[in-house]
Amino acid sequence: STLFNQPPTKIQVTVKNVGNSFLKPFGKVTVKDMRGNEVYSYELNNTDPRGNVLPNTERTFTNDLKNIGSFGRYTIVSGVTYGDGGDILTQESTFWVIPFWSVLVFAAVVILIVAGIVFLVRKFKKRNK
């Protein structure tokens, strides 16, 4: 998902193996806030032995997600490789954390501004008659 009311607690990276050999992917997953500051990172498939992705299948690796604030845009960057680590596959994804109360406050402010403009326009029209 790309929009959350509260900070997510899990992160998933899916690796698809389109070849005919077993893959043991690994790499670094980094989460950055809207200012570009790294707020969390971890090593993907950091077990001994590493988990396999079978030929012509995909596997989703799920990890805990920490240090996500209660509001803002976050970017996840994963750099995944396999084998001897020669080729790095990079994927980037963005999500927003916007609490429901902030949506209500924003809507209320917009309604008040529109109501104020309508009130002022009517008052101005009455004066000019």
Side-chain angles (χ1 to χ4, degrees), residues 70-114:
S70 59
F71 184 84
R73 179 179 55 89
Y74 294 88
T75 303
I76 303 167
V77 179
S78 62
V80 179
T81 189
Y82 56 90
D84 62 2
D87 295 325
I88 298 176
L89 308 171
T90 304
Q91 178 71 33
E92 188 172 301
S93 181
T94 302
F95 68 93
W96 285 85
V97 178
I98 303 176
F100 187 68
W101 63 265
S102 66
V103 174
L104 291 177
V105 168
F106 179 75
V109 167
V110 168
I111 289 171
L112 286 173
I113 289 172
V114 169

Side-chain angles (χ1 to χ4, degrees), residues 4 14 16 21 26 33 40 42 47 57-58 60 68 73 87-88 90 96 101 103 107-108 110-111 120 127:
F4 296 92
T14 301
K16 186 174 185 179
S21 63
F26 61 94
D33 63 12
Y40 188 68
Y42 68 93
T47 60
T57 63
E58 60 183 40
T60 301
I68 302 299
R73 179 179 55 89
D87 295 325
I88 298 176
T90 304
W96 285 85
W101 63 265
V103 174
V110 168
I111 289 171
L120 290 173
R127 261 193 202 169

Side-chain angles (χ1 to χ4, degrees), residues 36-63:
N37 299 325
E38 183 178 306
V39 294
Y40 188 68
S41 69
Y42 68 93
E43 293 294 323
L44 179 73
N45 197 13
N46 191 19
T47 60
D48 189 24
R50 294 191 193 280
N52 284 315
V53 182
L54 302 175
N56 295 314
T57 63
E58 60 183 40
R59 181 173 179 178
T60 301
F61 296 91
T62 303
N63 291 84

